[in-house]
mmCIF file of all heavy atoms in Angstrom:
data_model
loop_
_atom_site.group_PDB
_atom_site.id
_atom_site.type_symbol
_atom_site.label_atom_id
_atom_site.label_comp_id
_atom_site.label_asym_id
_atom_site.label_seq_id
_atom_site.Cartn_x
_atom_site.Cartn_y
_atom_site.Cartn_z
ATOM 1 N N LEU B 262 14.047 -19.622 13.449
ATOM 2 C CA LEU B 262 13.835 -19.481 14.873
ATOM 3 C C LEU B 262 14.200 -20.701 15.497
ATOM 4 O O LEU B 262 13.812 -21.850 15.124
ATOM 5 C CB LEU B 262 12.296 -19.085 15.030
ATOM 6 C CG LEU B 262 11.913 -17.751 14.430
ATOM 7 C CD1 LEU B 262 10.515 -17.392 14.956
ATOM 8 C CD2 LEU B 262 12.889 -16.697 14.833
ATOM 9 N N ASN B 264 15.810 -22.368 19.572
ATOM 10 C CA ASN B 264 16.336 -22.063 20.912
ATOM 11 C C ASN B 264 17.430 -23.293 21.179
ATOM 12 O O ASN B 264 16.919 -24.407 21.261
ATOM 13 C CB ASN B 264 15.452 -22.173 21.917
ATOM 14 C CG ASN B 264 16.001 -21.860 23.349
ATOM 15 O OD1 ASN B 264 17.062 -22.207 23.588
ATOM 16 N ND2 ASN B 264 15.168 -21.261 24.245
ATOM 17 N N TRP B 267 16.866 -26.128 23.770
ATOM 18 C CA TRP B 267 15.760 -26.965 23.703
ATOM 19 C C TRP B 267 16.136 -28.102 22.671
ATOM 20 O O TRP B 267 17.037 -28.008 21.807
ATOM 21 C CB TRP B 267 14.587 -26.312 23.208
ATOM 22 C CG TRP B 267 13.998 -25.253 23.953
ATOM 23 C CD1 TRP B 267 14.205 -25.014 25.349
ATOM 24 C CD2 TRP B 267 12.963 -24.305 23.660
ATOM 25 N NE1 TRP B 267 13.529 -24.008 25.778
ATOM 26 C CE2 TRP B 267 12.728 -23.539 24.779
ATOM 27 C CE3 TRP B 267 12.333 -24.012 22.356
ATOM 28 C CZ2 TRP B 267 11.895 -22.410 24.730
ATOM 29 C CZ3 TRP B 267 11.298 -23.004 22.383
ATOM 30 C CH2 TRP B 267 11.063 -22.252 23.523
ATOM 31 N N VAL B 275 7.260 -25.302 19.241
ATOM 32 C CA VAL B 275 7.071 -23.848 19.501
ATOM 33 C C VAL B 275 7.243 -23.042 18.296
ATOM 34 O O VAL B 275 6.481 -22.090 18.050
ATOM 35 C CB VAL B 275 8.205 -23.456 20.719
ATOM 36 C CG1 VAL B 275 8.108 -21.868 20.834
ATOM 37 C CG2 VAL B 275 7.962 -24.117 21.902
ATOM 38 N N PHE B 276 8.160 -23.336 17.414
ATOM 39 C CA PHE B 276 8.474 -22.406 16.302
ATOM 40 C C PHE B 276 7.874 -22.903 15.006
ATOM 41 O O PHE B 276 7.987 -22.091 14.045
ATOM 42 C CB PHE B 276 10.014 -22.218 16.182
ATOM 43 C CG PHE B 276 10.406 -21.476 17.355
ATOM 44 C CD1 PHE B 276 11.467 -22.121 18.188
ATOM 45 C CD2 PHE B 276 9.927 -20.180 17.736
ATOM 46 C CE1 PHE B 276 11.989 -21.352 19.251
ATOM 47 C CE2 PHE B 276 10.521 -19.523 18.980
ATOM 48 C CZ PHE B 276 11.547 -20.150 19.710
ATOM 49 N N CYS B 279 8.776 -21.961 11.102
ATOM 50 C CA CYS B 279 9.783 -20.935 11.231
ATOM 51 C C CYS B 279 11.031 -21.573 11.840
ATOM 52 O O CYS B 279 12.270 -20.930 11.777
ATOM 53 C CB CYS B 279 9.503 -19.863 12.292
ATOM 54 S SG CYS B 279 8.041 -18.959 11.687
ATOM 55 N N ASN B 340 17.782 -15.555 19.682
ATOM 56 C CA ASN B 340 16.885 -15.965 18.655
ATOM 57 C C ASN B 340 16.421 -14.848 17.771
ATOM 58 O O ASN B 340 15.845 -13.766 18.270
ATOM 59 C CB ASN B 340 15.689 -16.651 19.371
ATOM 60 C CG ASN B 340 14.822 -17.535 18.483
ATOM 61 O OD1 ASN B 340 15.379 -17.913 17.334
ATOM 62 N ND2 ASN B 340 13.694 -18.029 19.001
ATOM 63 N N THR B 342 13.900 -13.494 16.319
ATOM 64 C CA THR B 342 12.526 -13.138 16.133
ATOM 65 C C THR B 342 12.442 -11.581 15.764
ATOM 66 O O THR B 342 13.424 -10.752 16.105
ATOM 67 C CB THR B 342 11.682 -13.288 17.550
ATOM 68 O OG1 THR B 342 12.367 -12.408 18.539
ATOM 69 C CG2 THR B 342 11.645 -14.773 17.911
ATOM 70 N N ALA B 343 11.295 -11.160 15.295
ATOM 71 C CA ALA B 343 11.177 -9.712 15.007
ATOM 72 C C ALA B 343 11.442 -8.824 16.247
ATOM 73 O O ALA B 343 12.098 -7.815 16.195
ATOM 74 C CB ALA B 343 9.699 -9.409 14.420
ATOM 75 N N GLU B 344 10.931 -9.297 17.349
ATOM 76 C CA GLU B 344 11.154 -8.559 18.627
ATOM 77 C C GLU B 344 12.608 -8.412 18.921
ATOM 78 O O GLU B 344 13.054 -7.201 19.113
ATOM 79 C CB GLU B 344 10.460 -9.222 19.865
ATOM 80 C CG GLU B 344 9.019 -9.282 19.817
ATOM 81 C CD GLU B 344 8.417 -10.576 19.175
ATOM 82 O OE1 GLU B 344 9.078 -11.087 18.312
ATOM 83 O OE2 GLU B 344 7.324 -10.986 19.665
ATOM 84 N N ASN B 345 13.425 -9.502 18.825
ATOM 85 C CA ASN B 345 14.843 -9.361 19.028
ATOM 86 C C ASN B 345 15.642 -8.597 18.045
ATOM 87 O O ASN B 345 16.573 -7.856 18.304
ATOM 88 C CB ASN B 345 15.431 -10.687 19.310
ATOM 89 C CG ASN B 345 15.138 -11.298 20.655
ATOM 90 O OD1 ASN B 345 14.892 -10.585 21.644
ATOM 91 N ND2 ASN B 345 15.034 -12.652 20.778
ATOM 92 N N LYS B 348 15.163 -4.953 18.849
ATOM 93 C CA LYS B 348 15.883 -4.696 20.101
ATOM 94 C C LYS B 348 17.360 -4.433 19.754
ATOM 95 O O LYS B 348 18.176 -3.504 20.205
ATOM 96 C CB LYS B 348 15.671 -5.635 21.174
ATOM 97 C CG LYS B 348 16.002 -5.266 22.496
ATOM 98 C CD LYS B 348 15.492 -6.346 23.474
ATOM 99 C CE LYS B 348 15.886 -6.115 24.881
ATOM 100 N NZ LYS B 348 15.325 -7.141 25.780
ATOM 101 N N TRP B 351 17.868 -1.304 17.907
ATOM 102 C CA TRP B 351 17.885 -0.192 18.713
ATOM 103 C C TRP B 351 19.274 0.088 19.411
ATOM 104 O O TRP B 351 19.701 1.215 19.579
ATOM 105 C CB TRP B 351 16.720 -0.307 19.704
ATOM 106 C CG TRP B 351 16.432 0.841 20.611
ATOM 107 C CD1 TRP B 351 15.643 1.970 20.339
ATOM 108 C CD2 TRP B 351 17.105 1.293 21.901
ATOM 109 N NE1 TRP B 351 15.614 2.871 21.284
ATOM 110 C CE2 TRP B 351 16.464 2.375 22.275
ATOM 111 C CE3 TRP B 351 17.962 0.509 22.711
ATOM 112 C CZ2 TRP B 351 16.882 3.036 23.461
ATOM 113 C CZ3 TRP B 351 18.350 1.141 23.833
ATOM 114 C CH2 TRP B 351 17.775 2.484 24.291
ATOM 115 N N HIS B 352 19.686 -1.069 20.002
ATOM 116 C CA HIS B 352 21.091 -0.907 20.700
ATOM 117 C C HIS B 352 22.168 -0.543 19.833
ATOM 118 O O HIS B 352 23.189 0.135 20.257
ATOM 119 C CB HIS B 352 21.304 -2.198 21.521
ATOM 120 C CG HIS B 352 20.563 -2.392 22.770
ATOM 121 N ND1 HIS B 352 20.901 -1.728 23.957
ATOM 122 C CD2 HIS B 352 19.314 -3.070 22.985
ATOM 123 C CE1 HIS B 352 19.950 -2.078 24.931
ATOM 124 N NE2 HIS B 352 18.999 -2.863 24.341
ATOM 125 N N TYR B 369 8.739 -4.427 10.257
ATOM 126 C CA TYR B 369 7.746 -5.192 9.649
ATOM 127 C C TYR B 369 8.506 -6.569 9.293
ATOM 128 O O TYR B 369 9.397 -6.429 8.295
ATOM 129 C CB TYR B 369 7.149 -4.601 8.455
ATOM 130 C CG TYR B 369 6.056 -3.525 8.721
ATOM 131 C CD1 TYR B 369 6.311 -2.384 9.367
ATOM 132 C CD2 TYR B 369 4.738 -3.898 8.554
ATOM 133 C CE1 TYR B 369 5.386 -1.523 9.644
ATOM 134 C CE2 TYR B 369 3.645 -2.990 8.863
ATOM 135 C CZ TYR B 369 4.153 -1.756 9.393
ATOM 136 O OH TYR B 369 3.059 -0.790 9.643
ATOM 137 N N THR B 371 6.494 -9.169 8.063
ATOM 138 C CA THR B 371 5.596 -9.355 6.843
ATOM 139 C C THR B 371 4.636 -8.083 6.815
ATOM 140 O O THR B 371 4.621 -7.391 7.902
ATOM 141 C CB THR B 371 4.811 -10.549 6.841
ATOM 142 O OG1 THR B 371 3.773 -10.450 7.770
ATOM 143 C CG2 THR B 371 5.725 -11.796 7.087
ATOM 144 N N GLU B 372 3.809 -8.001 5.897
ATOM 145 C CA GLU B 372 2.986 -6.950 5.737
ATOM 146 C C GLU B 372 1.887 -7.036 6.997
ATOM 147 O O GLU B 372 1.302 -6.048 7.435
ATOM 148 C CB GLU B 372 2.150 -7.065 4.366
ATOM 149 C CG GLU B 372 1.438 -5.841 3.923
ATOM 150 C CD GLU B 372 0.538 -6.215 2.706
ATOM 151 O OE1 GLU B 372 0.657 -7.519 2.270
ATOM 152 O OE2 GLU B 372 -0.289 -5.493 2.359
ATOM 153 N N ARG B 373 1.724 -8.167 7.542
ATOM 154 C CA ARG B 373 0.730 -8.430 8.543
ATOM 155 C C ARG B 373 1.256 -8.684 9.921
ATOM 156 O O ARG B 373 0.538 -8.603 10.942
ATOM 157 C CB ARG B 373 -0.148 -9.662 8.213
ATOM 158 C CG ARG B 373 -0.975 -9.409 6.837
ATOM 159 C CD ARG B 373 -2.282 -10.212 6.674
ATOM 160 N NE ARG B 373 -3.036 -9.609 5.648
ATOM 161 C CZ ARG B 373 -3.958 -8.854 5.936
ATOM 162 N NH1 ARG B 373 -4.373 -8.339 7.058
ATOM 163 N NH2 ARG B 373 -4.709 -8.363 4.942
ATOM 164 N N ASN B 374 2.609 -8.719 10.119
ATOM 165 C CA ASN B 374 3.263 -8.934 11.423
ATOM 166 C C ASN B 374 4.301 -7.809 11.596
ATOM 167 O O ASN B 374 5.196 -7.869 10.787
ATOM 168 C CB ASN B 374 3.881 -10.211 11.540
ATOM 169 C CG ASN B 374 2.899 -11.507 11.369
ATOM 170 O OD1 ASN B 374 1.739 -11.280 11.601
ATOM 171 N ND2 ASN B 374 3.526 -12.640 11.149
ATOM 172 N N TYR B 375 4.279 -7.152 12.626
ATOM 173 C CA TYR B 375 5.173 -6.123 12.951
ATOM 174 C C TYR B 375 5.518 -5.792 14.444
ATOM 175 O O TYR B 375 4.495 -6.181 15.166
ATOM 176 C CB TYR B 375 5.084 -4.943 12.014
ATOM 177 C CG TYR B 375 3.913 -4.034 12.248
ATOM 178 C CD1 TYR B 375 3.842 -2.800 12.922
ATOM 179 C CD2 TYR B 375 2.725 -4.443 11.559
ATOM 180 C CE1 TYR B 375 2.605 -2.132 12.925
ATOM 181 C CE2 TYR B 375 1.451 -3.698 11.730
ATOM 182 C CZ TYR B 375 1.523 -2.454 12.428
ATOM 183 O OH TYR B 375 0.413 -1.859 12.558
ATOM 184 N N VAL B 376 6.571 -5.265 14.762
ATOM 185 C CA VAL B 376 6.789 -4.979 16.136
ATOM 186 C C VAL B 376 7.331 -3.438 16.312
ATOM 187 O O VAL B 376 7.752 -2.966 15.399
ATOM 188 C CB VAL B 376 7.864 -5.898 16.715
ATOM 189 C CG1 VAL B 376 7.470 -7.358 16.451
ATOM 190 C CG2 VAL B 376 9.271 -5.736 15.974
ATOM 191 N N GLU B 377 7.298 -3.094 17.691
ATOM 192 C CA GLU B 377 7.908 -1.752 18.018
ATOM 193 C C GLU B 377 8.557 -1.803 19.237
ATOM 194 O O GLU B 377 8.176 -2.446 20.198
ATOM 195 C CB GLU B 377 6.520 -0.785 18.070
ATOM 196 C CG GLU B 377 6.893 0.717 18.392
ATOM 197 C CD GLU B 377 5.543 1.422 18.644
ATOM 198 O OE1 GLU B 377 4.581 0.693 18.842
ATOM 199 O OE2 GLU B 377 5.621 2.688 18.552
ATOM 200 N N TYR B 378 9.760 -1.188 19.273
ATOM 201 C CA TYR B 378 10.692 -1.031 20.496
ATOM 202 C C TYR B 378 11.340 0.141 20.671
ATOM 203 O O TYR B 378 11.996 0.615 19.697
ATOM 204 C CB TYR B 378 11.659 -2.247 20.381
ATOM 205 C CG TYR B 378 12.510 -2.361 21.589
ATOM 206 C CD1 TYR B 378 12.308 -2.983 22.694
ATOM 207 C CD2 TYR B 378 13.807 -1.641 21.566
ATOM 208 C CE1 TYR B 378 13.044 -3.082 23.804
ATOM 209 C CE2 TYR B 378 14.686 -1.626 22.786
ATOM 210 C CZ TYR B 378 14.230 -2.335 23.821
ATOM 211 O OH TYR B 378 15.005 -2.374 24.908
ATOM 212 N N PRO B 379 11.233 0.761 21.789
ATOM 213 C CA PRO B 379 10.475 0.324 22.902
ATOM 214 C C PRO B 379 8.957 0.869 22.630
ATOM 215 O O PRO B 379 8.791 1.664 21.881
ATOM 216 C CB PRO B 379 11.095 1.119 24.074
ATOM 217 C CG PRO B 379 11.629 2.325 23.514
ATOM 218 C CD PRO B 379 12.166 1.956 22.108
ATOM 219 N N ALA B 380 8.080 0.364 23.436
ATOM 220 C CA ALA B 380 6.660 0.624 23.318
ATOM 221 C C ALA B 380 6.068 1.108 24.536
ATOM 222 O O ALA B 380 6.637 0.564 25.584
ATOM 223 C CB ALA B 380 5.935 -0.610 22.796
ATOM 224 N N MET E 293 12.423 -1.853 29.315
ATOM 225 C CA MET E 293 11.456 -1.243 28.322
ATOM 226 C C MET E 293 10.617 -2.251 27.531
ATOM 227 O O MET E 293 11.070 -3.460 27.370
ATOM 228 C CB MET E 293 12.476 -0.601 27.286
ATOM 229 C CG MET E 293 12.970 0.724 27.666
ATOM 230 S SD MET E 293 13.665 1.745 26.490
ATOM 231 C CE MET E 293 14.904 0.690 25.798
ATOM 232 N N LYS E 294 9.391 -2.071 27.278
ATOM 233 C CA LYS E 294 8.537 -3.055 26.668
ATOM 234 C C LYS E 294 8.562 -3.009 25.165
ATOM 235 O O LYS E 294 9.186 -2.251 24.511
ATOM 236 C CB LYS E 294 7.091 -2.700 27.190
ATOM 237 C CG LYS E 294 6.935 -2.968 28.612
ATOM 238 C CD LYS E 294 5.476 -2.908 29.071
ATOM 239 C CE LYS E 294 5.336 -3.480 30.649
ATOM 240 N NZ LYS E 294 3.969 -3.495 30.987
ATOM 241 N N THR E 295 7.962 -4.005 24.563
ATOM 242 C CA THR E 295 7.981 -4.223 23.081
ATOM 243 C C THR E 295 6.541 -4.417 22.749
ATOM 244 O O THR E 295 5.771 -5.178 23.397
ATOM 245 C CB THR E 295 8.798 -5.430 22.701
ATOM 246 O OG1 THR E 295 10.072 -5.210 23.104
ATOM 247 C CG2 THR E 295 8.865 -5.529 21.273
ATOM 248 N N ALA E 296 6.134 -3.854 21.507
ATOM 249 C CA ALA E 296 4.720 -4.110 21.057
ATOM 250 C C ALA E 296 4.880 -4.964 19.913
ATOM 251 O O ALA E 296 5.814 -4.873 18.927
ATOM 252 C CB ALA E 296 4.120 -2.776 20.607
ATOM 253 N N VAL E 297 3.959 -6.031 19.806
ATOM 254 C CA VAL E 297 3.767 -6.707 18.605
ATOM 255 C C VAL E 297 2.306 -6.566 17.916
ATOM 256 O O VAL E 297 1.374 -6.302 18.723
ATOM 257 C CB VAL E 297 3.880 -8.183 18.727
ATOM 258 C CG1 VAL E 297 5.341 -8.539 19.266
ATOM 259 C CG2 VAL E 297 2.955 -8.856 19.610
ATOM 260 N N TYR E 298 2.341 -6.389 16.598
ATOM 261 C CA TYR E 298 1.174 -6.070 15.877
ATOM 262 C C TYR E 298 0.772 -7.295 15.034
ATOM 263 O O TYR E 298 1.681 -7.842 14.169
ATOM 264 C CB TYR E 298 1.235 -4.866 14.910
ATOM 265 C CG TYR E 298 1.532 -3.545 15.754
ATOM 266 C CD1 TYR E 298 2.883 -3.425 16.312
ATOM 267 C CD2 TYR E 298 0.660 -2.610 15.935
ATOM 268 C CE1 TYR E 298 3.252 -2.229 16.872
ATOM 269 C CE2 TYR E 298 0.986 -1.474 16.691
ATOM 270 C CZ TYR E 298 2.229 -1.176 17.049
ATOM 271 O OH TYR E 298 2.567 -0.034 17.712
ATOM 272 N N ARG E 299 -0.462 -7.639 14.892
ATOM 273 C CA ARG E 299 -0.897 -8.701 13.935
ATOM 274 C C ARG E 299 -2.116 -8.113 13.160
ATOM 275 O O ARG E 299 -3.173 -7.687 13.764
ATOM 276 C CB ARG E 299 -1.305 -9.952 14.647
ATOM 277 C CG ARG E 299 -2.085 -10.983 13.950
ATOM 278 C CD ARG E 299 -1.192 -11.750 13.068
ATOM 279 N NE ARG E 299 -1.987 -12.414 12.018
ATOM 280 C CZ ARG E 299 -1.529 -13.013 10.915
ATOM 281 N NH1 ARG E 299 -0.125 -13.103 10.788
ATOM 282 N NH2 ARG E 299 -2.215 -13.546 10.072
ATOM 283 N N LYS E 300 -2.080 -8.154 11.877
ATOM 284 C CA LYS E 300 -3.086 -7.692 10.982
ATOM 285 C C LYS E 300 -4.083 -8.708 10.581
ATOM 286 O O LYS E 300 -3.612 -9.750 10.143
ATOM 287 C CB LYS E 300 -2.439 -6.801 9.884
ATOM 288 C CG LYS E 300 -3.474 -5.805 9.241
ATOM 289 C CD LYS E 300 -2.764 -5.182 7.934
ATOM 290 C CE LYS E 300 -1.701 -4.153 8.313
ATOM 291 N NZ LYS E 300 -1.478 -3.357 6.999
ATOM 292 N N SER E 301 -5.424 -8.479 10.565
ATOM 293 C CA SER E 301 -6.355 -9.406 10.106
ATOM 294 C C SER E 301 -7.401 -8.720 9.296
ATOM 295 O O SER E 301 -7.404 -7.453 9.306
ATOM 296 C CB SER E 301 -7.136 -10.210 11.158
ATOM 297 O OG SER E 301 -6.304 -10.760 12.108
ATOM 298 N N HIS E 302 -8.357 -9.350 8.609
ATOM 299 C CA HIS E 302 -9.429 -8.687 7.873
ATOM 300 C C HIS E 302 -10.715 -9.438 8.066
ATOM 301 O O HIS E 302 -10.773 -10.647 8.108
ATOM 302 C CB HIS E 302 -9.089 -8.217 6.613
ATOM 303 C CG HIS E 302 -8.971 -9.311 5.569
ATOM 304 N ND1 HIS E 302 -7.698 -9.867 5.567
ATOM 305 C CD2 HIS E 302 -9.664 -9.889 4.711
ATOM 306 C CE1 HIS E 302 -7.767 -10.966 4.642
ATOM 307 N NE2 HIS E 302 -9.000 -10.910 4.228
ATOM 308 N N GLU E 337 -10.027 -3.776 8.076
ATOM 309 C CA GLU E 337 -8.664 -4.172 8.502
ATOM 310 C C GLU E 337 -8.490 -4.059 9.976
ATOM 311 O O GLU E 337 -8.579 -2.973 10.444
ATOM 312 C CB GLU E 337 -7.565 -3.359 7.716
ATOM 313 C CG GLU E 337 -7.426 -3.689 6.304
ATOM 314 C CD GLU E 337 -6.747 -4.895 5.890
ATOM 315 O OE1 GLU E 337 -6.017 -5.457 6.835
ATOM 316 O OE2 GLU E 337 -7.012 -5.456 4.829
ATOM 317 N N ILE E 339 -6.112 -4.440 13.293
ATOM 318 C CA ILE E 339 -4.664 -4.676 13.915
ATOM 319 C C ILE E 339 -4.844 -4.811 15.356
ATOM 320 O O ILE E 339 -5.234 -3.950 16.001
ATOM 321 C CB ILE E 339 -3.737 -3.500 13.479
ATOM 322 C CG1 ILE E 339 -3.751 -3.289 12.012
ATOM 323 C CG2 ILE E 339 -2.324 -3.695 13.997
ATOM 324 C CD1 ILE E 339 -3.016 -2.042 11.432
ATOM 325 N N LYS E 341 -2.748 -4.997 18.654
ATOM 326 C CA LYS E 341 -1.407 -4.680 19.319
ATOM 327 C C LYS E 341 -1.313 -5.224 20.737
ATOM 328 O O LYS E 341 -2.159 -4.948 21.471
ATOM 329 C CB LYS E 341 -1.212 -3.134 19.247
ATOM 330 C CG LYS E 341 -0.051 -2.596 19.877
ATOM 331 C CD LYS E 341 -0.157 -1.117 19.960
ATOM 332 C CE LYS E 341 1.156 -0.537 20.660
ATOM 333 N NZ LYS E 341 1.133 0.968 20.765
ATOM 334 N N THR E 343 1.273 -5.476 24.064
ATOM 335 C CA THR E 343 2.555 -4.946 24.488
ATOM 336 C C THR E 343 3.093 -5.497 25.828
ATOM 337 O O THR E 343 2.178 -5.745 26.799
ATOM 338 C CB THR E 343 2.414 -3.412 24.804
ATOM 339 O OG1 THR E 343 1.854 -2.733 23.617
ATOM 340 C CG2 THR E 343 3.709 -2.638 25.095
ATOM 341 N N ILE E 346 9.656 -9.173 26.342
ATOM 342 C CA ILE E 346 10.097 -10.246 25.542
ATOM 343 C C ILE E 346 10.492 -11.452 26.422
ATOM 344 O O ILE E 346 11.298 -11.295 27.314
ATOM 345 C CB ILE E 346 11.281 -9.776 24.640
ATOM 346 C CG1 ILE E 346 10.900 -8.502 23.606
ATOM 347 C CG2 ILE E 346 11.673 -10.941 23.725
ATOM 348 C CD1 ILE E 346 12.117 -8.016 22.853
ATOM 349 N N ALA E 348 12.395 -14.539 27.496
ATOM 350 C CA ALA E 348 13.844 -14.835 27.198
ATOM 351 C C ALA E 348 14.066 -16.082 26.454
ATOM 352 O O ALA E 348 14.991 -16.179 25.762
ATOM 353 C CB ALA E 348 14.546 -14.929 28.554
ATOM 354 N N GLU E 349 13.182 -17.104 26.664
ATOM 355 C CA GLU E 349 13.391 -18.341 26.007
ATOM 356 C C GLU E 349 12.883 -18.380 24.581
ATOM 357 O O GLU E 349 13.437 -19.005 23.735
ATOM 358 C CB GLU E 349 12.622 -19.431 26.807
ATOM 359 C CG GLU E 349 13.251 -19.741 28.145
ATOM 360 C CD GLU E 349 12.986 -21.174 28.550
ATOM 361 O OE1 GLU E 349 11.813 -21.511 28.602
ATOM 362 O OE2 GLU E 349 13.900 -21.851 28.954
ATOM 363 N N THR E 350 11.743 -17.663 24.234
ATOM 364 C CA THR E 350 11.180 -17.776 22.889
ATOM 365 C C THR E 350 11.623 -16.644 21.992
ATOM 366 O O THR E 350 11.573 -16.702 20.866
ATOM 367 C CB THR E 350 9.578 -17.827 22.941
ATOM 368 O OG1 THR E 350 9.135 -16.653 23.620
ATOM 369 C CG2 THR E 350 9.186 -19.070 23.652
ATOM 370 N N GLY E 351 11.887 -15.507 22.603
ATOM 371 C CA GLY E 351 12.139 -14.245 21.929
ATOM 372 C C GLY E 351 10.794 -13.571 21.525
ATOM 373 O O GLY E 351 10.902 -12.548 20.639
ATOM 374 N N TYR E 352 9.757 -14.000 22.035
ATOM 375 C CA TYR E 352 8.362 -13.520 21.663
ATOM 376 C C TYR E 352 7.787 -12.661 22.808
ATOM 377 O O TYR E 352 8.081 -13.002 23.950
ATOM 378 C CB TYR E 352 7.375 -14.708 21.558
ATOM 379 C CG TYR E 352 7.479 -15.507 20.205
ATOM 380 C CD1 TYR E 352 7.057 -16.844 20.119
ATOM 381 C CD2 TYR E 352 8.103 -15.029 19.051
ATOM 382 C CE1 TYR E 352 7.085 -17.537 18.894
ATOM 383 C CE2 TYR E 352 8.211 -15.690 17.807
ATOM 384 C CZ TYR E 352 7.730 -17.021 17.829
ATOM 385 O OH TYR E 352 7.690 -17.803 16.765
ATOM 386 N N VAL E 353 7.076 -11.691 22.549
ATOM 387 C CA VAL E 353 6.152 -11.067 23.486
ATOM 388 C C VAL E 353 4.934 -11.973 23.621
ATOM 389 O O VAL E 353 4.453 -12.247 24.719
ATOM 390 C CB VAL E 353 5.629 -9.632 23.012
ATOM 391 C CG1 VAL E 353 4.424 -9.141 23.890
ATOM 392 C CG2 VAL E 353 6.832 -8.640 23.002
ATOM 393 N N ILE E 354 4.343 -12.403 22.448
ATOM 394 C CA ILE E 354 3.326 -13.336 22.488
ATOM 395 C C ILE E 354 3.553 -14.115 21.151
ATOM 396 O O ILE E 354 3.890 -13.433 20.075
ATOM 397 C CB ILE E 354 1.906 -12.712 22.512
ATOM 398 C CG1 ILE E 354 0.796 -13.699 22.522
ATOM 399 C CG2 ILE E 354 1.639 -11.838 21.450
ATOM 400 C CD1 ILE E 354 -0.622 -13.311 22.856
ATOM 401 N N ASP E 355 3.271 -15.474 21.035
ATOM 402 C CA ASP E 355 3.434 -16.198 19.881
ATOM 403 C C ASP E 355 2.304 -15.730 18.867
ATOM 404 O O ASP E 355 1.154 -15.921 19.202
ATOM 405 C CB ASP E 355 3.307 -17.599 20.258
ATOM 406 C CG ASP E 355 3.453 -18.612 18.941
ATOM 407 O OD1 ASP E 355 3.233 -18.139 17.914
ATOM 408 O OD2 ASP E 355 3.862 -19.670 19.183
ATOM 409 N N LEU E 356 2.781 -15.126 17.773
ATOM 410 C CA LEU E 356 1.672 -14.601 16.858
ATOM 411 C C LEU E 356 0.693 -15.631 16.198
ATOM 412 O O LEU E 356 -0.332 -15.331 15.874
ATOM 413 C CB LEU E 356 2.536 -13.818 15.701
ATOM 414 C CG LEU E 356 2.985 -12.344 16.129
ATOM 415 C CD1 LEU E 356 3.496 -11.630 14.934
ATOM 416 C CD2 LEU E 356 1.755 -11.608 16.727
ATOM 417 N N ILE E 414 -6.643 -1.348 16.652
ATOM 418 C CA ILE E 414 -6.678 -0.447 15.563
ATOM 419 C C ILE E 414 -7.525 -1.056 14.489
ATOM 420 O O ILE E 414 -7.518 -2.082 14.170
ATOM 421 C CB ILE E 414 -5.204 -0.166 15.030
ATOM 422 C CG1 ILE E 414 -4.327 0.497 16.213
ATOM 423 C CG2 ILE E 414 -5.230 0.773 13.820
ATOM 424 C CD1 ILE E 414 -2.920 0.081 15.991
#
Side-chain angles (χ1 to χ4, degrees):
Chain B
L262 298 188
N264 182 335
W267 294 346
V275 173
F276 296 120
C279 301
N340 202 8
T342 57
E344 289 93 326
N345 280 335
K348 203 172 172 177
W351 189 89
H352 281 282
Y369 281 73
T371 71
E372 200 190 350
R373 300 205 161 264
N374 296 342
Y375 57 106
V376 303
E377 185 183 12
Y378 179 85
Chain E
M293 290 195 300
K294 293 191 169 181
T295 302
V297 297
Y298 299 76
R299 168 76 199 171
K300 203 186 278 196
S301 309
H302 65 274
E337 286 283 338
I339 302 175
K341 175 186 177 184
T343 307
I346 302 177
E349 288 208 311
T350 60
Y352 287 157
V353 168
I354 184 173
D355 183 334
L356 283 184
I414 299 158

